[in-house]
Amino acid sequence: MAKTKRQRRKYLRFLDKSKESAECAIDNFNRAKGPFRTEATLMLLGVAWELLAKAILIQMKKPIKKANSEDTISAEVAVSRLLSEKKIEKHHSDIVQQIISLRNASVHDVLPDIPIEVQHHLMYYACKVSAHESTPVTQS
């Protein structure tokens, strides 16, 4: 019983931090102007999605640690597991993977200019899903 409560608390901590990161990404994106605005927004969105995916996996009692390691799985792996568990649809998974890919590019390299239309699409999608984050994920 104690382990179940601990798991629930861990799931909720991940979910809360995911929401906070998504809200920070939206706030950052809505700034009028700022250096590194696009990159910071992508980093925050990537973190939000990674934590949300891991929160869902924790709730499903699926491991988020790599085998024989204290490290957790990557964001890409977490989203792929959600897809294989049918917790996210393929087209949503593709968009999330695109956000994560852009986040990785902005962290490890100089990101080329991203057309504003693409940025708006990614933010719209993040906001649309963020609005549904407050809806609890049903346990299977």
Side-chain angles (χ1 to χ4, degrees):
M1 174 109 161
K3 186 171 184 173
T4 304
K5 284 186 180 182
R6 194 174 321 123
Q7 287 289 84
R8 177 163 170 72
R9 284 193 305 264
K10 186 174 182 180
Y11 154 75
L12 291 173
R13 284 195 316 265
F14 274 65
L15 183 60
D16 288 344
K17 290 299 177 184
S18 171
K19 289 178 185 180
E20 289 172 15
S21 185
E23 288 171 3
C24 286
I26 293 165
D27 287 345
N28 191 70
F29 182 79
N30 286 332
R31 289 190 314 179
K33 188 175 180 177
F36 216 64
R37 176 179 157 254
T38 301
E39 292 86 346
T41 299
L42 288 168
M43 287 178 206
L44 290 164
L45 272 180
V47 168
W49 278 107
E50 180 173 358
L51 293 175
L52 178 61
K54 290 177 179 178
I56 294 168
L57 291 171
I58 291 167
Q59 185 188 35
M60 295 170 53
K61 297 181 179 31
K62 302 289 182 182
I64 63 166
K65 299 256 184 187
K66 293 179 182 176
N68 302 321
S69 176
E70 286 300 309
D71 295 337
T72 61
I73 58 176
S74 67
E76 296 92 341
V77 170
V79 173
S80 293
R81 288 186 184 173
L82 292 183
L83 181 61
S84 68
E85 294 283 340
K86 297 183 178 18
K87 294 293 183 182
I88 189 172
E89 295 176 17
K90 174 77 168 107
H91 64 281
H92 291 160
S93 173
D94 291 343
I95 294 171
V96 172
Q97 294 288 12
Q98 181 182 21
I99 291 169
I100 293 167
S101 177
L102 288 168
R103 185 256 331 238
N104 291 344
S106 68
V107 168
H108 301 291
D109 203 353
V110 176
L111 195 63
D113 287 338
I114 300 174
I116 195 68
E117 297 83 12
V118 173
Q119 292 180 40
H120 285 173
H121 172 72
L122 295 174
M123 286 307 299
Y124 170 77
Y125 182 76
C127 291
K128 180 179 171 185
V129 173
S130 181
H132 296 290
E133 274 186 357
S134 59
T135 305
V137 177
T138 56
Q139 287 185 300
S140 302

